[in-house]
Amino acid sequence: MRANTSPTGLALLLIVVGLLLSFTSITAAFTTDEPIWRYLIAAGCLAQFLGWMRHSARSRGGAR
């Protein structure tokens, strides 16, 4: 078992980009009240989810 369990590579990129997109979109949604920001919030959350799923599949060896 590996001692390093933090995300790396594409998983880390998806998580960080998803976080930035979500936080920025949440701030913009509260300030401008435009409905398009809700879709970007959902896209950011989806990117985070995919990043964590990719990380967990790599950690487990891809077995389900």
Side-chain angles (χ1 to χ4, degrees), residues 28-55:
F30 279 123
T31 57
T32 64
D33 205 27
E34 292 287 328
I36 189 69
W37 295 114
R38 293 181 208 152
Y39 296 112
L40 292 175
I41 294 169
C45 291
L46 178 64
Q48 286 183 59
F49 175 76
L50 292 175
W52 283 113
M53 291 305 291
R54 182 163 174 86
H55 168 65

Side-chain angles (χ1 to χ4, degrees), residues 3-42:
N4 184 9
T5 59
S6 58
T8 58
L10 182 61
L12 180 62
L13 179 70
L14 284 171
I15 293 167
V16 170
V17 168
L19 260 169
L20 291 174
L21 184 62
S22 295
F23 287 163
T24 304
S25 299
I26 287 169
T27 304
F30 279 123
T31 57
T32 64
D33 205 27
E34 292 287 328
I36 189 69
W37 295 114
R38 293 181 208 152
Y39 296 112
L40 292 175
I41 294 169

